[in-house]
Amino acid sequence: MPKAMSNTDKTGGGKMPARMGAFERIGVPADVDESRSAAVCRRDDGAERIVIAARGYVLIVDPETGSCSQLYFPGGEGQYPFASASDPRGWFYTGAGRYFYIVDPFTPAFVGQHRVPEGEEEAGFAFAVKGDGRVYATTYPGSYLVELDASSDSSRTLCRLDSERKYAMTLACGSGGKIYAGLGTTSPAIACFHEETGELEILLEGPPDMPGSAAVLQGCNGSVYGWLPSGENGDGRWYRLGEHGVEQVPAEKVGPSLYKGAGYNKLYLDLVGGRKLLTWQLSDRQIDIMEADGSLSRIPLAYKGGGTPLSPLYGGPNGILYGTSNHPLHLFTYDTTARLLTDWGGDIVERGGGGNIAAYAAQGNIIVGAAYAGGMVHLLDTAKEWNTEEGLCRNPRLIYENAAVHRPRCAVAHPDGRHVLYGGFPGYGAAGGGLGIVDVQAGQVKMLEHQEIVRGQSTISLAILPDGRIFGGTSIETPGGGISKAGEAAMYELSWPDRKVIRRWVPIQGAKEIAQLAPGANGVLYGLTSESVFFVYDADLQQVVHRSGLSTWGRIVRQGLLMTEREGRPFLLGLLSRALFTVNPVNMQPELLDRLPAEATSGIACLNGDVYFGSFAELWRYRLEEEGNYFYESV
């Protein structure tokens, strides 16, 4: 049984009271932060600091004394860092939002701040350090190469590494003034910038129709290595990059890297004297160090975080509210009867890491959860205790993964009592997500590719009418860096017996996303676009019979439309970032239920007559008033 932690807010806490009219702030389900890269910083005198980058701050740890210092990014910057490094003088480098930041961890203080090139959105997707102390970094989405010179407190843009490949996730410094970069995601490539001449060349690249990313590795021995994927199964080839060009080498000949770890949780360098950092997770609130003699020591991490933002919520078949936090993934539950909020930690969901469960649907006692990253499908048996032992007894249990739905956005239970459909965005560099069909009883999944649904688009909303007709809504966006060729989002109808799309159409001209769908009675579907346009589609008439712009009530929220029941009758709940609403079933007009005391960022579940939503890291409840029944009295 995993360790659980109660996070129910019994005192209200925060900046606002626990109750505000019909609204109640329940608490912060996951009061932890995520490590977003780290580095060991070392001065000439041998003094060391471990610096961990996080959303909104850096945490500086003295590995000798265990003391912790927390420095918040200037100006209240709250975006996620992606990578970090340290220079020979012991200064720390990272990026967040549109700025690169330099920290002297021994003072401690910020000693440098440099803005990305105009039009760029994120700083510091990768770093590399030169022997003379200059540091190189990349940006997103333009993949610019930037030089940071802390000695002169200056920065300059050296070049744009690629105009189409948006992700420059690895960098390495070679001899002769060469800077190497691993690029993706529409196709993989390795680029080399010659600092002395200003020349940029592509050394290696994959097929143009194969999405993915290449990588470069700065070896501890000074060598630079490159890796280029050779297929969709994760295989690839290694190369040594240097004065003599490109030379293919076997994987066992590749020297160890200055970095260890993976993704956005890499560590640059390690402690001296035979000590090794094993873990540096803020979510665990501790650092684990393997001492030179083989013993294990732990340093508690003391920091003040804002809690982890919540992903969409789900009302389980057992009357329990389920959800996860997002970066890092912690599974939490809220017992609405006992009023108990429980954080089950980060290990309960297999390979959860820095992801989240973004879409849910249930068949009987089994909740199907579709998770980012990688399109993982988990089965949560609500009739059994949690179990983290490997095998069929594990609960939750990972049964499938497929990057065709790398970023899940929607799920719906089929009325046959056995299947769940889910959809979302594809992996990095791709355009068009799949549609997964989960056989809950068999624990198997069939994936329909986007070419079978709507070519080049991703299913991000699903609804099934009471008569069993299945409808989907799409997005033309490509959050993984792919290139979209579609002009507007569509809806489609899926024939269940043969699993084929029988009709496609554009319900709202110019809409980029049919972001939400919910089923109604008499062949009616309710929808929301990403621009907060509410519409009603009559599937029998095959036309939109009502539309309203709701942007004055806020932006859309994931899982922001829910068809539930009140007094035994269908009742539509809608959530936007500033308001809760329903629809008048007579004239199809949206009607305001209430304005929110806190901005909604994740939706929406209804249990025992109460509505639940997330506001960043906080869980909120709204109690529906009985006088809301006047809608039905007018029918």
Side-chain angles (χ1 to χ4, degrees):
M1 186 72 175
K3 183 180 179 181
M5 179 172 61
S6 174
N7 287 337
T8 308
D9 188 350
K10 295 183 173 61
T11 61
K15 295 183 179 180
M16 57 180 63
R19 285 191 177 272
M20 299 188 70
F23 292 93
E24 179 185 2
R25 177 187 182 274
I26 294 173
V28 176
D31 191 15
V32 293
D33 286 338
E34 179 187 35
S35 297
R36 297 283 294 193
S37 76
V40 172
C41 301
R42 186 177 303 113
R43 287 193 315 207
D44 288 339
D45 63 3
E48 292 181 314
R49 296 292 185 271
I50 303 164
V51 185
I52 303 171
R55 182 171 58 92
Y57 63 89
V58 297
L59 186 69
I60 302 166
V61 184
D62 186 331
E64 295 296 331
T65 67
S67 65
C68 298
S69 302
Q70 188 171 2
L71 292 182
Y72 293 94
F73 288 127
E77 175 60 64
Q79 297 299 312
Y80 285 103
F82 292 92
S84 58
S86 60
D87 69 9
R89 81 182 75 191
W91 286 6
F92 176 82
Y93 294 72
T94 193
R98 290 180 168 85
Y99 286 93
F100 298 100
Y101 296 98
I102 307 174
V103 177
D104 179 353
F106 299 93
T107 304
F110 285 94
V111 293
Q113 179 177 339
H114 304 277
R115 189 177 173 88
V116 297
E118 190 66 31
E120 291 299 89
E121 299 174 7
E122 300 286 351
F125 263 41
F127 290 89
V129 182
K130 206 171 182 179
D132 61 6
R134 283 180 292 172
V135 174
Y136 301 86
T138 60
T139 66
Y140 172 86
S143 293
Y144 285 92
L145 179 63
V146 177
E147 180 188 79
L148 306 171
D149 190 343
S151 62
S152 61
D153 192 26
S154 65
S155 66
R156 63 182 179 127
T157 301
L158 299 178
C159 71
R160 187 175 187 182
L161 292 165
D162 200 280
S163 60
E164 292 187 358
R165 299 176 175 102
K166 298 179 180 180
Y167 288 80
M169 300 294 291
T170 51
L171 279 178
C173 293
S175 60
K178 294 179 180 180
I179 312 298
Y180 299 93
L183 305 175
T185 61
T186 52
S187 64
I190 293 176
C192 177
F193 177 74
H194 299 256
E195 193 168 15
E196 295 178 358
T197 65
E199 177 188 1
L200 176 69
E201 62 175 326
I202 299 296
L203 300 179
L204 295 164
E205 58 184 332
D209 59 347
M210 187 183 76
S213 291
V216 294
L217 181 153
Q218 188 90 60
C220 296
N221 59 4
S223 297
V224 176
Y225 302 91
W227 181 84
L228 192 72
S230 57
E232 297 182 356
N233 57 359
D235 293 337
R237 296 184 177 91
W238 282 101
Y239 302 85
R240 183 181 289 110
L241 312 175
E243 297 180 0
H244 302 293
V246 177
E247 174 192 3
Q248 187 172 339
V249 295
E252 58 269 19
K253 295 293 185 181
V254 176
S257 172
L258 293 178
Y259 283 95
K260 66 180 179 180
Y264 303 134
N265 192 31
K266 291 179 181 177
L267 171 73
Y268 183 74
L269 302 183
D270 210 333
L271 300 171
V272 296
R275 307 176 79 197
K276 294 182 179 180
L277 275 168
L278 301 180
T279 66
W280 49 94
Q281 295 298 324
L282 290 172
S283 59
D284 295 335
R285 293 190 178 271
Q286 67 183 28
I287 284 175
D288 292 334
I289 299 175
M290 179 72 74
E291 300 294 345
D293 62 3
S295 63
L296 180 68
S297 62
R298 286 178 171 168
I299 299 176
L301 295 179
Y303 65 89
K304 182 177 177 59
T308 305
L310 304 184
S311 293
L313 308 172
Y314 187 71
N318 55 350
I320 301 294
L321 183 73
Y322 293 83
T324 66
S325 57
N326 183 13
H327 296 295
L329 189 159
H330 276 213
L331 178 70
F332 67 87
T333 57
Y334 181 65
D335 187 323
T336 58
T337 302
R339 297 174 62 85
L340 179 64
L341 179 61
T342 305
D343 176 6
W344 295 98
D347 296 329
I348 188 72
V349 176
E350 287 182 81
R351 294 165 56 194
N356 66 312
I357 297 180
Y360 303 85
Q363 292 288 11
N365 291 324
I366 307 296
I367 298 175
V368 175
Y372 167 86
M376 299 186 187
V377 176
H378 301 271
L379 301 185
L380 295 78
D381 191 335
T382 62
K384 297 179 180 179
E385 296 287 337
W386 300 136
N387 189 337
T388 56
E389 294 181 8
E390 296 301 321
L392 294 177
C393 63
R394 200 189 197 287
N395 187 32
R397 179 165 62 95
L398 173 64
I399 64 166
Y400 183 77
E401 61 180 300
N402 191 324
V405 188
H406 181 75
R407 291 176 168 85
R409 288 293 182 269
C410 58
V412 65
H414 193 272
D416 68 359
R418 177 165 182 159
H419 292 90
V420 163
L421 294 82
Y422 72 100
F425 293 106
Y428 291 103
L435 178 68
I437 301 175
V438 184
D439 184 331
V440 177
Q441 292 180 17
Q444 298 175 348
V445 181
K446 175 181 175 60
M447 181 61 66
L448 303 179
E449 300 295 334
H450 67 93
Q451 296 90 341
E452 304 173 75
I453 309 300
V454 181
R455 181 178 292 274
Q457 301 192 33
S458 301
T459 298
I460 63 167
S461 56
L462 288 164
I464 301 181
L465 289 175
D467 60 14
R469 284 181 287 175
I470 303 170
F471 296 87
T474 72
S475 169
I476 66 172
E477 303 288 7
T478 55
I483 298 175
S484 175
K485 297 180 180 178
E488 52 192 354
M491 285 181 62
Y492 63 85
E493 183 176 352
L494 182 77
S495 169
W496 180 246
D498 54 11
R499 312 306 202 251
K500 293 184 182 298
V501 172
I502 57 176
R503 193 161 60 92
R504 303 175 181 88
W505 68 97
V506 175
I508 303 294
Q509 296 292 324
K512 295 181 178 179
E513 293 186 337
I514 307 302
Q516 314 280 351
L517 285 175
N522 304 316
V524 166
L525 291 158
Y526 302 100
L528 271 171
T529 74
S530 54
E531 293 81 18
S532 298
V533 174
F534 174 81
F535 67 93
V536 182
Y537 181 79
D538 190 314
D540 296 327
L541 298 176
Q542 297 189 8
Q543 65 183 40
V544 173
V545 295
H546 175 85
R547 60 180 288 175
S548 302
L550 303 184
S551 59
T552 57
W553 291 349
R555 301 182 302 276
I556 63 165
V557 172
R558 289 186 191 173
Q559 312 304 327
L561 277 185
L562 177 67
M563 181 58 68
T564 184
E565 286 189 358
R566 290 192 70 197
E567 304 295 326
R569 302 176 183 179
F571 186 78
L572 181 73
L573 278 169
L575 178 71
L576 292 168
S577 61
R578 296 195 295 269
L580 269 167
F581 69 93
T582 187
V583 65
N584 188 313
V586 177
N587 57 21
M588 300 297 179
Q589 287 285 347
E591 300 281 357
L592 181 69
L593 284 173
D594 223 326
R595 295 193 180 273
L596 307 182
E599 179 183 350
T601 54
S602 64
I604 189 176
C606 187
L607 287 170
N608 304 322
D610 291 339
V611 182
Y612 296 87
F613 65 92
S615 175
F616 300 98
E618 298 177 345
L619 179 63
W620 282 76
R621 172 182 19 223
Y622 175 75
R623 180 142 294 176
L624 288 169
E625 302 295 338
E626 291 301 321
E627 51 266 31
N629 288 333
Y630 74 89
F631 291 133
Y632 297 109
E633 294 167 0
S634 65
V635 176

